[in-house]
Structures are given as structure tokens and as C-alpha cells.
Amino acid sequence: MVSIKDVARHAGVAISTVSKVLNHYPNVSEETKVKVNKAVEELNFVPNSVAAALSSKQAGRVALLVNLSSKTQAIDEINMQYIHGAINKAMELNLDVITLFFSMFKNRTAEEITRYLQSQSITGIIIYGLSKENKVLQKLISDQRFKCVVIDAPIVNENTSSVWIDHRKAQYDVAKKTIIENNCKRVLYISGKKNGYVTDERIKGMEDLVRDMGLTMLIRNGDFSELQARNITMRYGKNKDVVVCASDLMAIGAMKALIEMNIFRPVCGFDGIILMGYVGKQMNTVHQDFEGISAKAMEELQKLMNGDKGKNIITPYTLERMKYMDIIC
Amino acid sequence: MVSIKDVARHAGVAISTVSKVLNHYPNVSEETKVKVNKAVEELNFVPNSVAAALSSKQAGRVALLVNLSSKTQAIDEINMQYIHGAINKAMELNLDVITLFFSMFKNRTAEEITRYLQSQSITGIIIYGLSKENKVLQKLISDQRFKCVVIDAPIVNENTSSVWIDHRKAQYDVAKKTIIENNCKRVLYISGKKNGYVTDERIKGMEDLVRDMGLTMLIRNGDFSELQARNITMRYGKNKDVVVCASDLMAIGAMKALIEMNIFRPVCGFDGIILMGYVGKQMNTVHQDFEGISAKAMEELQKLMNGDKGKNIITPYTLERMKYMDIIC
DNA sequence: TTGTAGGCGTTATCAT
DNA sequence: ATGATAACGCCTACAA
């Protein structure tokens, strides 16, 4: 394997000079820059990132913490896009990434996780799917031993940024659109996981809408479960004009129930997953660019690792109408 | 961060002694083992894997090469399970893992990829979704610079193992079951991607079956595309008794077509993805344990990295009948 | 059985 | 502007 030493020799300069050129340090003459770069080219030198990580504490490797809930493989689509977006961006930014799952840290304390991450020379982490109940990861964040970006949770401190869409407004918008299109008054709202950060925001959005439009609303907790949404719809759907769901999966459950009950009610979902296409009906939903969000998070993490302060970042969303033929390709 | 040096000091021994204990070297007295382990406990020492990787070439980091085809997000489920299975097992085996996507290496030569992997101190790779056309990765494998495990491709050499189910037999079995249950004679077989390793095996399985049962068969290339399967079914389905598909996704396309044509034909798929449940019909399919396969691959990779020779590994499969209520949970 | 010392490929701090 | 040289944390002959 060709190392920086070989490059130095080949270019006729010192190792440290090569390093300076590679890392764009100031105080290097144009002439030696050219020499070094030429040597790099000729030898096909690629710096060893492991050595770099060991040597400099600030090089910084990144860990992705993904919450894979085994029950709903359907949303693997979302996690996959998160991972893909993050890793691609990381490669672009020259950051090393390892992917980890929540399940690996079951029954571990924040300290144990911290030590593990440190043993991997991790300095920055991105957390996907954090729930309010996960005290361990919350502690990890508040300890601030790592630079941290959290997706879909309102946690910001000196070393922590949050990235998410405006769920309150998005829920408001998609429900409003559906309700106006179908001229509804009585809303059945099937919310997400209890005490979820996102769940609460979306409920607020619905409350805003109910107030603004003078609607009535029944809220039931669907726990992001298709089955629960189905049962709730079976039970309450008949006397409502519209079923608004906090996720596409639940929207599918609701729609299946309505079909079985043989009544029509407009349904809207949230997330814009491809799976929606397979239910065979049209539905309004909020489309999130998961890859883009994740890439954005990686950019933000790099900024944090370069000394920026944590901040709250809101990304855009769009309303979509998905149907079978949009998907098939 | 507590290092091996601290442990050595705390235990009153030399650094190298600690290292020997940690790596289970022979010729260490029981007494010092206890001393060292006690120190490790008390200091909560976790060895730094980055330093270990840099120091010893044989520690070995692993790269996962995942083929994410943007068209069929539906099968993210499969890739996610692959990744999850591999990373979990790697953690268990104390191997470091990085995840990479085919797309990152577009327009790169095998040499460039090799250099990149070496720059990451990668010594072993697992490849998911390799196609016959991917000459670059094939060269990477045949160069044998890395220990390598390939999923679903028949490539074995000194440093390369392959892991897959017996696709030929699986295709035979699932089709036979469906055909017997429905007493069919004329088969429409919608195959997968042309020149795919797996595709060819499955076609052989169908040919075996046709011979054994005295059937007639029309084979059409569906390219793993739901839309193509749909079109093929529209065109040829009417005059056949059964539609056998080389993937669940295509089975869904075929079934949607049949529903639209308002005729009934039994359909069977392949893979056992959860998505099957959403189509609202029952279907026979081959269930693969993707997590298990991937974990197996990681184990095999470790063996290769420890000096074993490459070999061909066949993993089990099961036949399943999936329907809506099986999935919803 | 235990300890010493050199090396893995970089980065960073000094001199020069 | 450039070059020695000491870390970084660990592994591993080799010496004791």
C-alpha cells in the first residue's frame, strides 16, 4: 500500500509537507503543492483514513444510530433512504461513517454506549427515530460528549442540532387539503405513538385546523400501527366524514377497514412512502425527502464538528397525491 | 479516554501483557490474567478499534457493498435485513463494519475501488446483489486482494465464498405446490433480470418442473419489474392456468393485472417480503431469512479472514403462504 | 512468563 | 516555507 512516506520521497519533500498539502494548510508554496500533487497522481495515493482518525482527534468519524422496529418492515424504505442519504453525503465530505442500530444498545447505559463510540473514535452521531421514552440516548445527547444531530426531535444545545420538517404545519396542510376537497366536518384523527415528539406536533397541527375551520375531531391513538388504525376506523369511522392518519401505514389500515365496511371516506396519510402505491387507492400524503433530510443532517454534523453551535433546522415538505400507477415503473 | 497504557499501569504490568490478555494469547499466567481483567473492569476500558486496525493488518475491517436500485424501494426491506443481519453479527464477532453502496463506485475502476477500500483498512467485503454485467466488481473479486463473500452469485475461489439458497430447487418447490393445489397445466413464467445468476437458476428449476410434471410453459422476461409483470400478464395470462413469478414484486404486478382483467389465476412469488401482505390476496412464495443469510455471510467472512479457503454455502428456505392478516400486527 | 521497543500511517508542534 | 519528530493506541517480534 502506497503511503504518505512514498509520496514524500517521490516528490522530494518531507512527510509533513505532504500532509500540509493534502489538508490544504496555508504556508505552502505553489511550487511544492504542484510537486506533491503530481506525486499523488502518479502513485495513485489515497490517504489512509484509519491512520488519520487515530492521529487527529478532530478528523472525526460519524455514527448513524438507526431505530429499526422489527414490526413495521414497511418503513424500511424510510430508514434505507436515511442511511443512503447520510453515507453518500459523508463520502462527499470525506467523513467516515459506521451504521449502528438501537437494538445493539438494548440494556446498555449511556456511559457504556459512550465508551463504545469512543473506542471507535466516533466524534459525531446522527440519531434517527428517537422517542421520548428513550432516556438513555437522551442522556447521551445531554452529556454532550459527542457532536450530535437528531432527526425529528426538538433537542438543541451547544453540541446538538435538530433537523426536521414543520410537522405541525404539514399535518395542518394535508388534512386541510383533504377536508376541503371532500367538504368534511367531522374528523377522525388517528395519531402516532403516544408521547412521540412528532406525534405531539402533528396533533397541534390538527387542533389548529379544527379551530380555524370550525370542525369537530375525535383523536385516537393508533401507535403507528396498521392494525390499530384498522380497528379504530372500524369502530369510529362510520360517523365521521374523513379519516386523517399520522402515517401512511395507518392510512392503509384505515382504508382497508373502510373497504371492508363498504363505505367511502377520504383518508390521508403522512410520509409519502412508496408502499402507499400498493393499496390501490388514491390518498393525500405529506412527502418528505428522507435522503435530502439525512444529507442535510450530515452537513450540519460536519459544521458542529468544526465548532459551530447547535441549531434547529427546518426542511421543506410537499403535499402529494399518490396512487398505484404513479408507483409502478 | 482510558487506554491500554492506563490499564497496564493500574494492573502493574506492561502494555504488551495487557494486549496479550486482551487477545487471548497463550503463555500468560492465570494470576496476571486476573489482575489485568480486574483493571479492565475497574477502568471500564474498551480497546480502541481504530488503533487496532491501524496496528495489525489482520484485525480486519469489513465493508458491506449494497446494490440499492432506486426503482424498487419496495425491496429496501431485503437490503435492510441484509445490513442489519451483517452488522449485528459483526458486533458479536468484534468486527468493524462500514456500509457502502454500488452507486458510490459508478464509473470507477476495480483498481480505484481497491485503493479506496485499502485506504479504509478494509480486508473483507460482502457483496449483495451482484449482477453478471458488473465486470468491475467481478474483477475486484477475481483479483483476490480482499477476502470476499458474495450473496446470490456462484463465485468461489481461494479467497471468495458464496452464500445463497438453492434457487433452482426453491423455484421448483413453490411452483409445484401452487400448480398441484390448483391443478394447472399451462404455465406462464415471468422471469427475473436477464442474465442474472439467480434468474438462470430459477429458470432451470422451472424447466425441471415442466419436464417432471409434463406441463407446458411460456417464459417471459419480467426484469423484476412490477410493471413488466403486469403487462406480460395482461398479454398472456388469459390462456394460461397459472402465473409463476420470480419475485414477489412481479407477483403483485401479475395479480393486479388479473384483478383488472377480472379473471382468476393462481399466482406465486419469490422472496417472502412483507409487502406481499398488502396486496390483499393470498399467494405462495419462497421465504428467505435475509438476516440469517447475511449473518452467515459475516461468519464465513471471518473464517476467510482467518485463513480458511473459500467455499459454496447453501442456506435453507421455506415455502410460505402469505396473506393480509398475517402481516398486519 | 513478562517486558522492551519498533512500527502501523497520519497529524501537529516545533525548530530551522 | 519546510522539515524533524513526537504523539495517537495498539500489536508483535524479540529480548530478558
Side-chain angles (χ1 to χ4, degrees):
Chain A
M1 185 177 158
V2 31
S3 78
I4 196 173
K5 194 190 286 180
D6 304 311
V7 177
R9 195 183 311 123
H10 193 261
V13 298
I15 291 180
S16 52
T17 305
V18 176
S19 177
K20 280 169 196 161
V21 174
L22 258 36
N23 297 294
H24 306 102
Y25 274 52
N27 298 330
V28 183
S29 75
E30 215 38 60
E31 185 188 4
T32 51
K33 265 187 202 165
V34 171
K35 265 198 302 191
V36 169
N37 286 324
K38 183 156 161 288
V40 168
E41 284 291 323
E42 289 177 1
L43 298 180
N44 286 316
F45 169 66
V46 181
N48 183 314
S49 67
V50 173
L54 177 61
S55 170
S56 84
K57 295 289 99 182
Q58 77 168 352
R61 288 157 41 92
V62 174
L64 270 30
L65 291 193
V66 180
N67 188 357
L68 214 64
S69 69
S70 56
K71 286 190 187 158
T72 52
Q73 263 110 339
I75 58 166
D76 284 346
E77 178 186 334
I78 297 177
N79 284 318
M80 203 70 213
Q81 290 188 42
Y82 276 149
I83 293 174
H84 194 220
I87 292 182
N88 271 344
K89 175 58 77 176
M91 189 153 208
E92 198 179 292
L93 300 178
N94 242 301
L95 293 172
D96 279 6
V97 175
I98 68 174
T99 307
L100 303 172
F101 298 99
F102 280 28
S103 58
M104 296 170 168
F105 297 129
K106 219 186 314 184
N107 306 323
R108 303 245 157 269
T109 65
E111 286 72 24
E112 288 171 324
I113 300 175
T114 299
R115 282 195 291 275
Y116 175 77
L117 294 175
Q118 286 177 339
S119 82
Q120 297 270 11
S121 294
I122 298 295
T123 58
I125 59 185
I126 302 180
I127 301 181
Y128 304 89
L130 180 65
S131 76
K132 279 188 179 174
E133 282 87 36
N134 195 326
K135 297 301 176 193
V136 170
L137 283 185
Q138 310 228 359
K139 179 167 185 340
L140 191 78
I141 296 170
S142 61
D143 285 348
Q144 300 196 42
R145 310 274 216 96
F146 304 96
K147 304 296 181 177
C148 189
V149 175
V150 187
I151 309 292
D152 280 347
I155 306 181
V156 175
N157 61 41
E158 188 92 342
N159 296 300
T160 308
S161 290
S162 72
V163 176
W164 53 352
I165 66 167
D166 185 338
H167 289 271
R168 181 173 185 165
K169 185 162 179 307
Q171 183 66 84
Y172 182 101
D173 287 351
V174 72
K176 181 172 183 181
K177 180 170 182 229
T178 308
I179 285 167
I180 288 180
E181 282 172 359
N182 296 279
N183 195 23
C184 313
K185 275 292 165 195
R186 300 166 303 170
V187 178
L188 171 59
Y189 182 65
I190 306 183
S191 65
K193 206 148 119 267
K194 209 166 171 174
N195 289 322
Y197 295 116
V198 163
T199 297
D200 293 353
E201 284 301 305
R202 293 181 189 169
I203 289 177
K204 281 185 209 158
M206 288 308 291
E207 287 167 347
D208 294 344
L209 184 64
V210 165
R211 195 179 328 109
D212 290 358
M213 296 186 69
L215 310 168
T216 68
M217 172 166 69
L218 175 68
I219 303 183
R220 279 294 172 270
N221 170 26
D223 211 32
F224 286 135
S225 147
E226 186 187 340
L227 179 57
Q228 286 203 39
R230 175 195 173 85
N231 293 339
I232 291 168
T233 305
M234 289 278 194
R235 178 139 173 214
Y236 303 104
K238 195 160 172 45
N239 298 319
K240 302 295 170 187
D241 305 322
V242 59
V243 185
V244 178
C245 299
S247 82
D248 286 349
L249 223 51
M250 293 197 296
I252 291 174
M255 188 164 276
K256 294 263 186 191
L258 292 168
I259 291 172
E260 259 181 60
M261 294 159 73
N262 203 25
I263 59 178
F264 172 79
R265 298 286 182 278
V267 175
C268 71
F270 204 111
D271 280 340
I273 61 177
I274 301 288
L275 180 59
M276 280 294 268
Y278 290 91
V279 75
K281 295 284 173 187
Q282 288 204 355
M283 230 183 266
N284 287 324
T285 192
V286 173
H287 176 76
Q288 299 190 52
D289 173 16
F290 297 107
E291 281 208 39
I293 288 173
S294 198
K296 185 80 189 167
M298 186 61 75
E299 279 176 1
E300 175 61 19
L301 185 56
Q302 191 186 41
K303 286 184 192 165
L304 287 176
M305 297 196 301
N306 286 334
D308 279 26
K309 307 295 175 211
K311 58 172 183 266
N312 190 34
I313 297 177
I314 305 295
T315 55
Y317 61 88
T318 55
L319 298 189
E320 282 201 351
R321 186 168 197 84
M322 300 187 76
K323 61 171 193 285
Y324 185 58
M325 287 308 295
D326 290 342
I327 305 305
I328 208 166
C329 60
Chain B
M1 186 178 157
V2 31
S3 80
I4 196 174
K5 193 190 287 180
D6 304 311
V7 177
R9 196 185 308 123
H10 193 261
V13 298
I15 291 180
S16 56
T17 306
V18 177
S19 176
K20 281 169 196 162
V21 174
L22 258 37
N23 297 295
H24 305 103
Y25 272 54
N27 297 331
V28 183
S29 74
E30 217 35 63
E31 184 188 6
T32 51
K33 264 187 203 166
V34 171
K35 265 198 302 191
V36 169
N37 285 324
K38 183 156 160 288
V40 168
E41 283 291 323
E42 290 177 0
L43 298 179
N44 286 315
F45 170 67
V46 182
N48 184 314
S49 68
V50 172
L54 177 61
S55 161
S56 80
K57 298 289 96 183
Q58 74 169 354
R61 288 157 40 93
V62 174
L64 268 32
L65 292 192
V66 180
N67 188 358
L68 213 65
S69 70
S70 56
K71 283 187 189 163
T72 52
Q73 263 110 341
I75 59 165
D76 284 345
E77 179 185 334
I78 297 177
N79 284 318
M80 203 70 213
Q81 289 187 44
Y82 277 150
I83 293 175
H84 194 220
I87 292 183
N88 271 344
K89 176 57 78 178
M91 188 154 209
E92 198 179 292
L93 299 178
N94 241 302
L95 293 172
D96 278 6
V97 175
I98 67 174
T99 307
L100 302 172
F101 298 98
F102 281 28
S103 57
M104 296 170 165
F105 298 129
K106 219 184 316 185
N107 305 323
R108 304 244 156 268
T109 66
E111 286 72 24
E112 289 171 322
I113 299 174
T114 298
R115 281 195 291 273
Y116 175 76
L117 293 175
Q118 286 177 340
S119 82
Q120 299 268 13
S121 293
I122 298 295
T123 59
I125 60 185
I126 301 180
I127 301 182
Y128 304 89
L130 181 65
S131 76
K132 279 188 178 174
E133 283 87 35
N134 196 327
K135 297 300 178 198
V136 170
L137 283 186
Q138 309 228 0
K139 179 166 186 335
L140 191 77
I141 295 169
S142 62
D143 284 349
Q144 300 196 42
R145 309 276 216 97
F146 304 96
K147 304 297 181 177
C148 190
V149 175
V150 188
I151 310 291
D152 279 347
I155 307 181
V156 176
N157 61 41
E158 189 92 345
N159 297 300
T160 308
S161 290
S162 72
V163 176
W164 53 352
I165 66 169
D166 185 338
H167 290 272
R168 182 173 185 165
K169 184 162 182 305
Q171 182 67 82
Y172 182 101
D173 287 350
V174 71
K176 181 172 184 181
K177 181 173 182 223
T178 308
I179 286 167
I180 287 180
E181 281 172 359
N182 297 278
N183 195 22
C184 313
K185 276 290 165 197
R186 301 166 302 170
V187 178
L188 171 59
Y189 182 64
I190 306 182
S191 66
K193 205 148 119 263
K194 210 166 172 173
N195 288 323
Y197 295 115
V198 163
T199 297
D200 292 353
E201 285 301 306
R202 294 182 189 169
I203 288 177
K204 281 184 209 158
M206 288 307 293
E207 287 167 348
D208 294 345
L209 184 64
V210 165
R211 195 179 328 107
D212 291 357
M213 296 187 67
L215 310 168
T216 68
M217 173 167 69
L218 175 68
I219 302 184
R220 279 294 173 269
N221 170 26
D223 210 31
F224 287 135
S225 146
E226 186 187 340
L227 178 57
Q228 285 203 39
R230 174 195 172 86
N231 293 339
I232 291 168
T233 305
M234 290 277 194
R235 179 138 173 216
Y236 303 104
K238 194 156 173 43
N239 297 320
K240 303 294 171 187
D241 304 321
V242 59
V243 184
V244 177
C245 299
S247 81
D248 286 348
L249 223 50
M250 293 196 297
I252 291 175
M255 188 164 277
K256 294 261 186 192
L258 291 168
I259 290 172
E260 258 180 61
M261 294 158 74
N262 204 26
I263 60 178
F264 172 79
R265 297 287 182 277
V267 175
C268 72
F270 206 111
D271 280 340
I273 60 177
I274 300 289
L275 180 60
M276 280 294 268
Y278 290 92
V279 76
K281 295 283 173 189
Q282 288 204 354
M283 229 183 268
N284 287 325
T285 191
V286 174
H287 176 77
Q288 300 190 52
D289 173 16
F290 298 107
E291 281 207 38
I293 289 174
S294 197
K296 185 81 189 165
M298 185 62 75
E299 278 175 0
E300 175 61 19
L301 185 56
Q302 191 186 38
K303 286 184 191 165
L304 287 176
M305 296 198 300
N306 287 333
D308 277 27
K309 306 296 175 211
K311 60 170 179 269
N312 190 34
I313 296 177
I314 305 295
T315 56
Y317 61 88
T318 54
L319 298 190
E320 282 202 351
R321 186 169 198 82
M322 300 188 76
K323 61 172 193 283
Y324 185 57
M325 287 308 295
D326 290 343
I327 303 307
I328 207 168
C329 58

